[in-house]
Each structure stands twice: as structure tokens, then as C-alpha cells.
Amino acid sequence: MNKVNWGILGAARIVEKVLPIIANSINGELVAIGSRRKDAAKSLINRAYPELLNKIQTFNGFDSVINHPKINAIYIPLANEDHTPTALKAIRSKKHVLIEKPMAIKSSDVDLLLNESKKHDVKIMEGFMYSFHPQFERLLDIIKSNILGEINYANSMFSFPIQPARHYRINRPIKLGGGALWDIGPYAIHTLRQCFKENPMRVYAQSKLNEHNADLSTTGMIDFGQNKRATFDISFECTRRSEVEVFGPSGRAKIPTIWQPENQKAKIVYATEKSGYHEEIIPIASHFELEFKHFNECILKNAAPKLTPQDALWNVKTLEAFQESIENNAWVNL
Ligand SMILES: NC(=O)c1ccc[n+]([C@@H]2O[C@H](COP(=O)([O-])OP(=O)(O)OC[C@H]3O[C@@H](n4cnc5c(N)ncnc54)[C@H](OP(=O)(O)O)[C@@H]3O)[C@@H](O)[C@H]2O)c1
């Protein structure tokens, strides 16, 4: 096998971006898309890449994709609460799975997915595309070089005003996967954990909830122990922000467009006590393209994905702890 054959479950918005990337990949091929809505997969291909209409199979429903004999890997960009049941079916059908973040909305479900993936000998990865972009790798290099000193504080912010067409993202309580915490929170929080290369000791957050008990805005704190702290702010009511900044005793470094760099020049800025202000332009790259290329290589070479199962487990554990903190207005230990 020199290419991975992909199936996609659901005609989600994100698929309009990802479809051309899988279809044009050097080590992957798109075989089929299934949607629970009649003909939605076909109209998505027509919108995103009409030249492929006769090349990609479309199905009404998921089972024909999950059980497709030619397909080796399945991409799951469904609503967060649908990730676990569909991923379980795919894993039990011996397909590798790339699941959009968060992998699940309960850490016990992540455990179940990881155990099943081991049992059926398939690879599983949570889709944090930003971590494959060279601008994030450069930030990690700067941190590692120690020119900032040992990082002791970081802050991340992700927001945009939610459009009425997207109100289905905030129409159910946080504990059922609704709101900003489970939607954009995974990016803001995962990035902080990656910068520190630590897992939280305890967390605290406060939210503004809507009438469905979904959070429209959440501000949180993470205590990593040993005087390492982080804060984040996420919101569906605030202007567009997509940034992370890390601080040490000798300097600071920032990515101003970390999760949404695609159509803009990626850049990183840093300043040190010794050498002053620096700005580096990073060549434009597609984080989705790099993410799929990596996962394809892992399947083809039987290598472990860079985003590990344990990382996915800690991601969901941390989000669960934030959920509990919002409910009880108290610090939660992990
Ligand atoms: N990595 C990223 O940059 C990124 C960006 C956005 C989202 N995401 C993640 O990807 C996942 C999907 O997000 P999304 O915003 O792309 O999903 P979405 O458009 O809300 O679609 C989610 C699912 O709902 C169904 N659906 C779509 N439009 C619908 C409609 N008009 N009426 C009824 N059902 C509809 C689709 O399944 P059927 O076709 O089977 O009905 C689809 O798979 C989430 O986990 C999200 O967090 C990631």
C-alpha cells in the first residue's frame, strides 16, 4: 500500500476545506463521503470540488463508508457528541480514525476509544491541525532554546462573533457538548499544555451562559504547579482573536494567528531582555495538509502519531475539569 484510502463521515462545513486536501494528497486518496442527510455529500462535493463529483463515491448514511472494503481510514468531523459512537463503529470495522477535536466529551469515552483501537490494531489521532504548522514548531523551538528563560506564564485567546446560522453550536448545555468550551476551548487549552509540555494540576474558570446553559464566553486559569501558570479567554461574543503568547524571565514570544493562519502570512514575534524585538515571517503552509500527510505516513509506516492517545485523554480530562469548575465556581484538581 503506498496511499491511504479515506472515507469521510458527515457533510460538515470543515469538510469543504479538508476535501481538496485529502483528494490532492501525495500519500492519500479520497474514496467516499457519507451523510445522514439525503444528497448532502453530493452537494458538498459540488460546492467544494465539482471536478471530483464522478470520482468520489457518496452515500446516504455512514455504514457504507465504515464497512467499505477499499477504505483504510476514516475522518470524523461530526458534532462533538457524535464522535465516540461513530468512531467506535469505524474502529471495530478495522479503520484508522482521525477524529476532530475534542476526541470525545467524556474522558471515559476516550479511554474506551483508545482500548478499542489497541484491540483492533488501528491508529487513532485527535485533529489538532495547528500543531503541524511550522509557526507552532518555531514557537516550540524558541521555547526550547531558552532565550526566554524557563516559561512561567502563557496566555491564549480565541474568539469571533457567532453568526445566527451557527446557533446550533450554542443550543444545548455545556455538559452535552454545547458552547465555546467544547468548541473553541480545546484549541486555547491544548496549545497552553503543549507550550508547557505539562498537564494541569488544577483549573478554574468562569463563564457567561446563555438560556440553554451553553457558555458564550469563558475565562480560565491553569495551575501547572512549580510556579507555572496560564490563562485563556474564549468567546462567541468578542471580535476575532486567535493568538497565544508565552512569557519567561528573559523574554516573550507570540503567534498572532495561531489557529487560523491559512490565508494570512504566518508570523511569530518575540522580544528578549538582551536583544530586543524580533519578527519572523513563516512561509505560508496548510496545517490540514501537513496533518493528513503525517497521519498517512504513520499508517503507511506503522509509526506512532505525534499527537498521542495520552494527550487526547488529558485534553478531555482538562476540559471536563473546566466544565466542573464552571458548574461549581471552584478550583478543580486533576
Ligand atoms: N480543525 C478545524 O479547523 C475545525 C474547524 C471547524 C470545526 N472543527 C471540528 O469539526 C467538527 C465539525 O465541525 P463543523 O462546524 O464543520 O460541523 P457542522 O458543519 O456543524 O457539521 C457537523 C455535522 O452536522 C451535520 N450537518 C451539517 N450541516 C447541517 C445542517 N445544515 N443541518 C443538519 N445537520 C447538518 C453533518 O452531518 P450529516 O452530513 O451526516 O448530516 C455534519 O457532519 C467539530 O468537532 C468541530 O469542533 C474543526
Side-chain angles (χ1 to χ4, degrees):
M1 177 164 83
N2 56 10
K3 277 197 173 194
V4 175
N5 290 328
W6 281 90
I8 298 179
L9 300 183
R13 251 178 343 129
I14 185 73
V15 174
E16 295 181 23
K17 274 192 195 164
V18 168
L19 183 152
I21 282 165
I22 306 183
N24 294 327
S25 159
I26 52 165
N27 54 5
E29 201 156 310
L30 183 55
V31 174
I33 305 182
S35 166
R36 292 159 294 187
R37 285 164 299 140
K38 194 168 181 297
D39 295 334
K42 220 172 223 127
S43 46
L44 185 143
I45 300 172
N46 204 19
R47 280 196 308 277
Y49 207 153
E51 300 88 317
L52 292 183
L53 257 183
N54 296 324
K55 295 198 180 133
I56 301 171
Q57 290 177 268
T58 55
F59 296 100
N60 294 325
F62 292 162
D63 288 352
S64 305
V65 179
I66 290 174
N67 299 316
H68 199 298
K70 203 180 155 199
I71 287 175
N72 325 107
I74 305 253
Y75 176 53
I76 302 183
L78 298 171
N80 296 335
E81 58 274 26
D82 293 338
H83 290 179
T84 301
T86 36
L88 267 181
K89 280 191 184 173
I91 290 168
R92 287 171 181 161
S93 179
K94 289 220 152 257
K95 311 296 188 204
H96 306 283
V97 285
L98 176 53
I99 310 176
E100 267 307 333
K101 43 45 70 178
M103 186 176 277
I105 55 169
K106 285 190 190 139
S107 53
S108 54
D109 284 350
V110 180
D111 264 331
L112 174 65
L113 291 172
L114 302 186
N115 286 336
E116 287 291 304
S117 67
K118 265 191 216 149
K119 190 165 135 195
H120 294 277
D121 196 21
V122 293
K123 306 215 180 285
I124 179 168
M125 191 173 87
E126 192 176 30
F128 279 112
M129 77 306 174
Y130 81 90
S131 68
F132 294 88
H133 197 288
Q135 68 175 352
F136 186 62
E137 285 168 2
R138 178 68 185 124
L139 177 68
L140 295 183
D141 279 349
I142 289 174
I143 295 172
K144 202 167 155 201
S145 74
N146 214 31
I147 56 171
L148 313 177
E150 193 174 358
I151 299 301
N152 50 26
Y153 173 66
N155 179 52
S156 64
M157 296 191 281
F158 197 2
S159 59
F160 49 85
I162 196 162
Q163 301 304 310
R166 304 284 163 229
H167 278 180
Y168 58 81
R169 295 161 86 156
I170 49 172
N171 68 1
R172 57 210 185 287
I174 303 185
K175 64 172 184 259
L176 297 183
L181 180 70
W182 288 103
D183 193 323
I184 50 181
Y187 293 120
I189 297 163
H190 188 262
T191 307
L192 296 170
R193 288 180 40 245
Q194 294 284 310
C195 288
F196 279 102
K197 298 212 175 299
E198 299 270 359
N199 290 317
M201 277 181 56
R202 56 182 194 140
V203 301
Y204 176 77
Q206 282 206 339
S207 298
K208 177 185 169 192
L209 304 176
N210 69 3
E211 69 277 22
H212 303 289
N213 271 334
D215 61 317
L216 298 178
S217 300
T218 290
T219 305
M221 289 193 267
I222 303 179
D223 178 359
F224 287 102
Q226 299 170 319
N227 192 31
K228 295 178 183 173
R229 303 159 297 124
T231 50
F232 70 86
D233 188 69
I234 52 174
S235 179
F236 287 141
E237 296 185 305
C238 193
T239 190
R240 200 162 282 277
R241 295 171 298 171
S242 173
E243 56 189 76
V244 65
E245 187 163 15
V246 298
F247 301 78
S250 319
R252 61 204 280 176
K254 174 175 178 171
I255 301 180
T257 55
I258 178 157
W259 306 293
Q260 298 175 320
E262 280 165 298
N263 301 321
Q264 307 161 37
K265 255 187 211 162
K267 91 177 166 184
I268 191 158
V269 290
Y270 62 97
T272 70
E273 298 285 332
K274 265 193 192 157
S275 66
Y277 180 85
H278 304 263
E279 189 168 308
E280 279 179 21
I281 299 296
I282 312 280
I284 289 175
S286 159
H287 47 207
F288 284 117
E289 191 180 318
L290 294 164
E291 177 189 35
F292 275 91
K293 185 166 170 262
H294 170 78
F295 196 61
N296 286 340
E297 271 167 13
C298 292
I299 294 170
L300 295 170
K301 296 179 181 162
N302 193 20
K306 130 174 161 163
L307 294 172
T308 64
Q310 290 69 30
D311 182 61
L313 186 59
W314 268 98
N315 179 43
V316 177
K317 269 188 184 184
T318 307
L319 289 158
E320 267 179 337
F322 273 118
Q323 184 182 298
E324 191 183 328
S325 172
I326 294 163
E327 280 164 6
N328 300 329
N329 189 22
W331 282 91
V332 173
N333 294 323
L334 279 109

